[in-house]
Amino acid sequence: MTETADFLPVPEEPSGWLSTADLGRVRRQVPILYVDAVPVRVDPNGRVTEIGLLLRANPGGAIWRALVSGRVHYGEQIRDALLRHLEKDLGPMALPRIPASPQPFTVAEYFPTPGVTAYHDPRQHAVSLAYVVPIDGDCQPQQSALDLAWITPEEATSEQVQLDMLGGQGMLLRQALAHVGRLV
Amino acid sequence: MTETADFLPVPEEPSGWLSTADLGRVRRQVPILYVDAVPVRVDPNGRVTEIGLLLRANPGGAIWRALVSGRVHYGEQIRDALLRHLEKDLGPMALPRIPASPQPFTVAEYFPTPGVTAYHDPRQHAVSLAYVVPIDGDCQPQQSALDLAWITPEEATSEQVQLDMLGGQGMLLRQALAHVGRLV
Amino acid sequence: MTETADFLPVPEEPSGWLSTADLGRVRRQVPILYVDAVPVRVDPNGRVTEIGLLLRANPGGAIWRALVSGRVHYGEQIRDALLRHLEKDLGPMALPRIPASPQPFTVAEYFPTPGVTAYHDPRQHAVSLAYVVPIDGDCQPQQSALDLAWITPEEATSEQVQLDMLGGQGMLLRQALAHVGRLV
Amino acid sequence: MTETADFLPVPEEPSGWLSTADLGRVRRQVPILYVDAVPVRVDPNGRVTEIGLLLRANPGGAIWRALVSGRVHYGEQIRDALLRHLEKDLGPMALPRIPASPQPFTVAEYFPTPGVTAYHDPRQHAVSLAYVVPIDGDCQPQQSALDLAWITPEEATSEQVQLDMLGGQGMLLRQALAHVGRLV
């Protein structure tokens, strides 16, 4: 549940954005609303054939795989937040298919204390609406992402990939596969 | 819940098809599995902007509006049945976006006796899995359909359009609008 | 989307609660996470027979009908927030059946500016996960609620009841009825 | 996907039932509509704590674990079929909580040819609407079931239990656990 924006200079007066100090305080006061998107490739009949995972790294050299994930801003609709984060991480030519319905396939509750739920985010209590999003276009990983890898449902549930995902996103990915009938 | 195929000559040995006599007998013995598709236009953020309704007529001159609807064949997967019926009714260039998940937004139970549920089909007890399907391409109504009209959510819930729909499809359409957050 | 707690004295250092000043500031900075519960009576086959609506009033004498609705606290799981708000509004003997799945039937996005979506909350940008909750026990409306009325699906969609509901909760109620197959 | 009724003497003219010969013929002509129920115990906050699995045996001495599963009859509503099969397998005191919404958590497509989907039924092409059903009462396994065992989500996903389930029901069980947020 890494949000690139947290590590970037913040524009002067952006709509819906907070200063680092304000965001830090709010994060100790209320649950923070997130969206998680599982990017997928589908065939013409809608069957999921591949899942797109970001490869991320931090300055310390740690590397992990991640879903597209990010905060919903004040005044922003969920579908607009989904589109913003997908374009931010996959590039402007990704052509994501935002779902017509706001009903998420699940709600992931990330707690700062590990073990409360299957999801964990040391920075905050985040509640994330999770959606499967078919991607039609060409992806160009942006900003802090090193790469975007398209893998099969079988690979996605492999021990290696599951170990490469943090904060419960491996389980969220398996829940997405269960939802689309591709859990292995 | 009109299925064009019922009124057409049946090919000799089609996979999954039945003779008229066999279909008639089966219809008195088990619930018949259907799919209902609500064709929609969406904007880049996934918001439903328009709903596509077929204009149908029978030899007696009756005219009504209809969703895309039809039977699932023996040996056919639901997503393949959805694609087949959408291409049959909207033409080969419609480019429907079949959902990645098999979870329908509702299940419509059509009974031969009116009033058992909100859905009614005088021919049979049909159980229909209902999906909202974004349409990307150009539609060319086929076969028994006179026209395909794209209308707004407001028009779709108007008394006139609701009266033009049969067998409870008006309610199914309103359920679809509720599901995508566009019920008026 | 009235939250009784907002009008009551706040305990000194309650887990997850905020002072009025802090809550006011947070409400201008991030979307606030809510839950909406539609209390229903069901028959042994799970069919919804009645919907429970609260009758609320404010000091100015205005009266309206409301769903059970309230904020999710920092550190609180969604199902615990649902139970807390249901017990707060319906009393300790209501025996609500909290859903086993976190998947809401819809997500209602309340904006402080009317007209952005169908939902409106002048106090804040609230994002509410909405659930249908069967109630098994005896309800005793609490605190600011004058009464709890059990009405039929037909009554719930009547113009009078719809006019008595505020902020888009009338539409949310109709979406709940669509979800359970009882939209009229 | 064993249906006890198939191995029992059939009453003379039961509503919705078919003779063995008629059922055999219909099974080669159309997909047969089924329901699958995953019986669960929940705590007061709705969290799934245990899953109920039937222990079944056939005359040849084979033993396996199974969900509650069965055919929807002609003229029968889905919720009535769910209740009938749950009472048939778990006994009259099980007090199952049939869901208020007809929306299943998934649709399992069982094909007579293995490998088409993850589900397999050698007798037929069956399409099954799958629901999680909390059980409040005391269960007394009936008829062909030897036992009903309540196991934890962890045990349900163990290799041993998964190997004891047939026709893809192990995967359906894991999909149910994913849906309720208890996949391990």
Side-chain angles (χ1 to χ4, degrees):
Chain A
M1 203 157 185
T2 301
E3 190 179 21
T4 314
D6 295 348
F7 309 110
L8 295 174
V10 176
E12 295 268 308
E13 289 190 325
S15 159
W17 285 37
L18 297 174
S19 72
T20 303
D22 279 345
L23 182 58
R25 189 179 54 247
V26 169
R27 278 177 162 163
R28 293 185 300 270
Q29 295 182 320
V30 292
I32 304 298
L33 185 67
Y34 266 65
V35 286
D36 272 311
V38 181
V40 297
R41 296 284 193 196
V42 296
D43 74 11
N45 299 41
R47 279 184 202 91
V48 170
T49 56
E50 292 180 316
I51 298 101
L53 290 183
L54 297 165
L55 192 66
R56 291 199 180 280
N58 69 14
I63 289 182
W64 67 97
R65 293 178 187 275
L67 302 175
V68 173
S69 181
R71 193 160 63 83
V72 180
H73 288 166
Y74 179 85
E76 185 179 42
Q77 290 188 49
I78 289 162
R79 53 179 72 256
D80 299 327
L82 267 177
L83 185 59
R84 177 171 59 83
H85 286 290
L86 284 158
E87 292 191 336
K88 186 190 68 187
D89 283 342
L90 306 185
M93 306 300 286
L95 302 179
R97 307 285 314 197
I98 308 297
S101 169
Q103 186 182 40
F105 72 85
T106 199
V107 179
E109 305 180 65
Y110 294 83
F111 279 86
T113 307
V116 178
T117 67
Y119 315 101
H120 172 231
D121 185 338
R123 302 168 301 173
Q124 60 193 342
H125 173 197
V127 173
S128 185
L129 309 181
Y131 300 90
V132 173
V133 182
I135 304 292
D136 281 2
D138 294 321
C139 295
Q140 190 69 33
Q142 306 284 306
Q143 302 186 351
S144 74
L146 304 179
D147 188 26
L148 174 76
W150 291 101
I151 63 175
T152 64
E154 288 75 18
E155 291 166 337
T157 51
S158 72
E159 192 176 343
Q160 187 54 55
V161 168
Q162 288 286 312
L163 286 172
D164 286 348
M165 301 188 77
L166 303 179
Q169 285 204 342
M171 194 177 101
L172 190 58
L173 172 52
R174 286 185 290 136
Q175 287 176 284
L177 291 171
H179 179 65
V180 299
R182 294 304 307 269
L183 189 64
V184 182
Chain B
M1 203 155 186
T2 300
E3 190 179 22
T4 315
D6 295 350
F7 308 111
L8 294 175
V10 177
E12 294 270 308
E13 289 191 324
S15 160
W17 285 37
L18 297 174
S19 72
T20 304
D22 278 347
L23 183 57
R25 190 179 52 246
V26 170
R27 278 175 163 165
R28 294 185 299 272
Q29 295 182 318
V30 292
I32 304 297
L33 184 68
Y34 265 65
V35 286
D36 272 310
V38 181
V40 298
R41 297 283 194 196
V42 296
D43 75 10
N45 298 39
R47 278 184 202 90
V48 170
T49 56
E50 292 181 316
I51 298 101
L53 290 182
L54 297 165
L55 193 65
R56 292 198 179 280
N58 69 14
I63 288 181
W64 67 98
R65 291 179 189 274
L67 303 175
V68 172
S69 181
R71 194 160 63 82
V72 180
H73 287 167
Y74 178 85
E76 185 179 41
Q77 290 186 50
I78 289 161
R79 52 179 75 255
D80 299 327
L82 267 175
L83 185 59
R84 176 171 60 83
H85 286 291
L86 284 158
E87 292 191 337
K88 186 190 68 188
D89 283 342
L90 305 185
M93 307 300 288
L95 300 180
R97 306 285 313 196
I98 308 296
S101 169
Q103 186 183 39
F105 71 86
T106 199
V107 178
E109 305 181 63
Y110 295 82
F111 279 86
T113 307
V116 178
T117 66
Y119 315 101
H120 173 230
D121 185 337
R123 301 167 303 172
Q124 62 194 342
H125 172 196
V127 174
S128 186
L129 310 181
Y131 301 90
V132 173
V133 182
I135 303 291
D136 281 2
D138 295 320
C139 295
Q140 191 68 34
Q142 306 284 306
Q143 302 188 350
S144 73
L146 303 179
D147 188 26
L148 175 76
W150 292 101
I151 63 176
T152 64
E154 289 73 20
E155 292 166 337
T157 51
S158 71
E159 191 175 344
Q160 187 53 56
V161 168
Q162 288 286 313
L163 286 171
D164 285 348
M165 301 187 76
L166 303 179
Q169 285 204 341
M171 194 178 100
L172 190 58
L173 172 53
R174 285 185 291 135
Q175 287 176 284
L177 291 171
H179 179 66
V180 299
R182 295 303 307 269
L183 189 63
V184 182
Chain C
M1 202 157 185
T2 301
E3 190 179 21
T4 314
D6 294 350
F7 307 111
L8 295 175
V10 176
E12 294 270 306
E13 288 190 324
S15 159
W17 284 38
L18 297 173
S19 72
T20 303
D22 280 345
L23 183 58
R25 191 180 54 246
V26 170
R27 278 176 162 162
R28 295 186 299 272
Q29 296 181 319
V30 292
I32 304 297
L33 185 67
Y34 265 65
V35 286
D36 272 312
V38 181
V40 298
R41 296 283 192 195
V42 296
D43 74 11
N45 299 38
R47 279 183 201 92
V48 170
T49 56
E50 292 181 316
I51 299 99
L53 290 182
L54 297 165
L55 192 65
R56 290 198 181 280
N58 69 14
I63 288 182
W64 67 96
R65 292 179 187 273
L67 302 175
V68 172
S69 181
R71 193 160 63 82
V72 180
H73 288 166
Y74 178 85
E76 185 181 43
Q77 290 187 49
I78 290 161
R79 56 178 72 254
D80 298 328
L82 267 176
L83 185 59
R84 176 172 60 84
H85 286 290
L86 283 158
E87 292 191 338
K88 185 190 68 187
D89 283 343
L90 305 185
M93 306 301 288
L95 302 180
R97 306 286 313 199
I98 308 298
S101 169
Q103 186 181 40
F105 72 86
T106 199
V107 178
E109 305 180 65
Y110 295 84
F111 279 87
T113 308
V116 178
T117 66
Y119 314 100
H120 172 232
D121 184 339
R123 302 167 301 171
Q124 61 193 344
H125 172 197
V127 173
S128 186
L129 309 181
Y131 300 90
V132 173
V133 182
I135 303 291
D136 281 2
D138 295 320
C139 295
Q140 190 69 32
Q142 306 285 306
Q143 302 186 352
S144 74
L146 304 179
D147 188 26
L148 174 77
W150 291 100
I151 63 176
T152 65
E154 290 73 19
E155 292 166 337
T157 52
S158 71
E159 192 176 344
Q160 187 53 56
V161 168
Q162 289 285 312
L163 287 172
D164 286 348
M165 300 186 77
L166 302 179
Q169 285 204 341
M171 194 178 99
L172 190 58
L173 172 54
R174 284 186 291 134
Q175 287 175 283
L177 291 171
H179 178 65
V180 298
R182 295 304 306 268
L183 190 63
V184 182
Chain D
M1 202 154 188
T2 302
E3 190 178 21
T4 313
D6 294 351
F7 308 111
L8 295 175
V10 177
E12 295 268 309
E13 288 190 323
S15 159
W17 285 37
L18 297 173
S19 72
T20 304
D22 278 347
L23 182 57
R25 190 180 53 248
V26 170
R27 278 176 163 162
R28 293 185 300 271
Q29 296 182 320
V30 291
I32 304 297
L33 185 68
Y34 266 65
V35 286
D36 271 311
V38 180
V40 298
R41 296 284 193 194
V42 296
D43 74 10
N45 298 40
R47 279 184 201 91
V48 169
T49 55
E50 292 181 315
I51 299 100
L53 290 182
L54 297 166
L55 192 66
R56 291 200 181 278
N58 69 13
I63 288 182
W64 68 96
R65 292 178 188 275
L67 303 175
V68 172
S69 181
R71 193 161 64 81
V72 180
H73 287 166
Y74 178 85
E76 185 181 42
Q77 290 187 50
I78 289 160
R79 55 179 73 254
D80 299 328
L82 266 176
L83 185 59
R84 176 171 60 82
H85 286 291
L86 283 158
E87 292 192 336
K88 185 190 70 188
D89 283 342
L90 305 185
M93 306 300 287
L95 302 179
R97 306 287 312 198
I98 308 297
S101 168
Q103 187 182 39
F105 72 85
T106 199
V107 179
E109 305 181 65
Y110 294 82
F111 279 87
T113 307
V116 177
T117 66
Y119 315 101
H120 172 232
D121 185 337
R123 302 167 301 173
Q124 61 192 342
H125 173 198
V127 173
S128 185
L129 310 181
Y131 300 90
V132 173
V133 182
I135 304 291
D136 281 2
D138 294 319
C139 295
Q140 190 68 34
Q142 305 284 306
Q143 301 187 352
S144 74
L146 304 179
D147 188 26
L148 174 77
W150 291 101
I151 63 177
T152 64
E154 289 74 19
E155 292 166 336
T157 51
S158 71
E159 192 176 343
Q160 186 53 55
V161 168
Q162 288 285 312
L163 286 172
D164 286 347
M165 301 187 76
L166 303 178
Q169 285 204 341
M171 193 178 101
L172 190 58
L173 172 53
R174 284 185 291 136
Q175 289 176 284
L177 291 171
H179 178 65
V180 298
R182 295 304 306 268
L183 189 63
V184 182

